[in-house]
Amino acid sequence: MGMFLNSIVPFEEYKNLSGTRFFVDKTELIEELIQAIAVDGQRYFCITRPRRFGKSVMANMVGAFFGKAVEGKDMFASLRIACLDYCQPYLNSQNLIYIDFSRMPRDLDEMIFG
């Protein structure tokens, strides 16, 4: 199933998407998360949307921004989040646990016991 801690997958997925013709910058969500963490002291988030509304894209964006696996300064430099100085200390500042539930084995015994 791959590497779980500081995986490069969210960064690579978001990088591939951000280079497409119809990419829409939604990094303002990161600003909202940082404010919730810094001001409100929130530690846990549940971001829900109906099917096909971009949950994976948002999760990859958040993982690419906060995760330590790959330096994302260049990728985020042209996006809205780069204009917000108080957000820059959070860039690539966290260890990231990445689990793709769409690729989980159907038999949990296989996952647990190998």
Side-chain angles (χ1 to χ4, degrees):
M1 283 193 345
M3 187 172 150
F4 298 112
L5 182 63
N6 293 328
S7 171
I8 65 168
V9 173
F11 180 85
E12 291 297 325
E13 293 286 329
Y14 191 68
K15 179 181 172 185
N16 291 338
L17 180 72
S18 66
T20 63
R21 195 168 118 190
F22 297 108
F23 173 74
V24 176
D25 180 3
K26 294 185 179 182
T27 55
E28 290 181 9
L29 172 70
I30 295 170
E31 178 185 7
E32 294 293 323
L33 292 175
I34 290 172
Q35 287 180 359
I37 293 166
V39 177
D40 302 334
Q42 282 189 275
R43 295 178 55 203
Y44 305 102
F45 298 93
C46 179
I47 301 171
T48 61
R49 293 268 194 243
R51 291 180 67 211
R52 311 296 303 159
F53 267 68
K55 291 182 295 295
S56 296
V57 173
M58 284 192 295
N60 288 331
M61 175 187 64
V62 170
F65 184 84
F66 287 107
K68 289 183 175 181
V70 180
E71 174 64 46
K73 187 175 183 178
D74 292 340
M75 183 173 63
F76 287 97
S78 62
L79 302 178
R80 166 125 168 71
I81 197 76
C83 300
L84 306 172
D85 292 334
Y86 67 92
C87 294
Q88 295 312 305
Y90 293 92
L91 179 65
N92 304 123
S93 65
Q94 304 296 315
N95 287 309
L96 178 75
I97 298 172
Y98 175 79
I99 301 172
D100 185 346
F101 287 102
S102 69
R103 298 181 183 159
M104 298 290 277
R106 293 194 183 268
D107 184 7
L108 289 179
D109 288 340
E110 177 186 334
M111 184 180 88
I112 296 169
F113 302 110

